[in-house]
Each structure stands twice: as structure tokens, then as C-alpha cells.
Amino acid sequence: MAEVGVALNQVYTKDGQREEKVTYIKVVAWRELADELSALPKGSPIIVDGALMYEHWKDKKSGDDRSTLKVEAQRIVCVARPGTVTKAPVSVTAPSVPDQDAKAATIPDTVTDAPDAPDEEDLPF
């Protein structure tokens, strides 16, 4: 099992000033997918396909209710940065629907045609 924090960076312009909002999302992976996720260099751009998991518990020290939202990864694709070609570690953990195997088999080993990021002025927020 591997659990990593993935940073989701949102860059936008507000009142003529460049703003950036970073949200950290926990991603959990199992078996071979966990090995691939752990082997990625920090900061690698990835696409995660998976299910949301909501966990809640009582803090043992304070007795306060705590909760977190995680993504249980079913597939992780390493995305090429513009102008580069990257070997994409594509995996699917135990599919719950037989059609997922066929869907996963159609994903290419490299991602070279990923769209460029939009200009900051084109973002809606």
C-alpha cells in the first residue's frame, strides 16, 4: 500500500494579480499500482482515476471528530510535460467491472498528445 499527497495547483488572476491556490489530496494505491506510484519522482504530473473514500474517527487525545477524503487509485497515468515524451506507468487495480480490463488496454504507453495548459487569462476563475 502506498499513500502519497498530490498537490493540485490552481493559478488564476484576481484584480490583475497572479494568485495561486494549492489543494493537497491524499491518494491511496494498492499492490503493483502502489509500487509504480512510489517509484514516481516527486512533482511528476499525473492523472489519477479512482474512487473517493471518506474516513471519519474520534481523535484519541482530544475526543474531537476528525475526517478526511482520499482517492483510492484505480489507474495512474504519468502525463508528459509539454515538449517531452514520458513512459506512462498505466495500471489498473482489481477491476470491479470486467469491461475495465478492455478500457485499460486501450491506453497508450506514452502520453505525447496531452493538451497544453490554457493561458492564465483563459481560466474561468
Side-chain angles (χ1 to χ4, degrees), residues 43-120:
S44 297
I46 60 172
I47 297 172
V48 179
D49 181 19
L52 291 176
M53 298 185 325
Y54 176 75
E55 297 178 354
H56 58 92
W57 67 93
K58 281 217 181 272
D59 186 282
K60 291 181 182 179
K61 291 183 180 179
S62 67
D64 293 339
D65 289 330
R66 302 285 183 189
S67 64
T68 189
L69 192 61
K70 298 179 182 181
V71 176
E72 185 171 326
Q74 295 170 346
R75 182 178 59 205
I76 297 174
V77 178
C78 188
V79 181
R81 295 184 190 272
T84 63
V85 177
T86 303
K87 178 79 173 159
V90 178
S91 297
V92 177
T93 60
S96 58
V97 179
D99 291 340
Q100 284 183 333
D101 283 334
K103 181 180 173 184
T106 63
I107 298 173
D109 283 344
T110 59
V111 179
T112 57
D113 57 349
D116 291 336
D119 291 332
E120 289 180 21

Side-chain angles (χ1 to χ4, degrees), residues 1-4 29 31-44 46 76 78 87 89:
M1 194 266 290
E3 182 174 301
V4 299
R31 294 180 281 288
E32 294 84 13
L33 190 58
D35 296 337
E36 292 178 10
L37 182 61
S38 298
L40 288 174
K42 185 176 181 177
S44 297
I46 60 172
I76 297 174
C78 188
K87 178 79 173 159

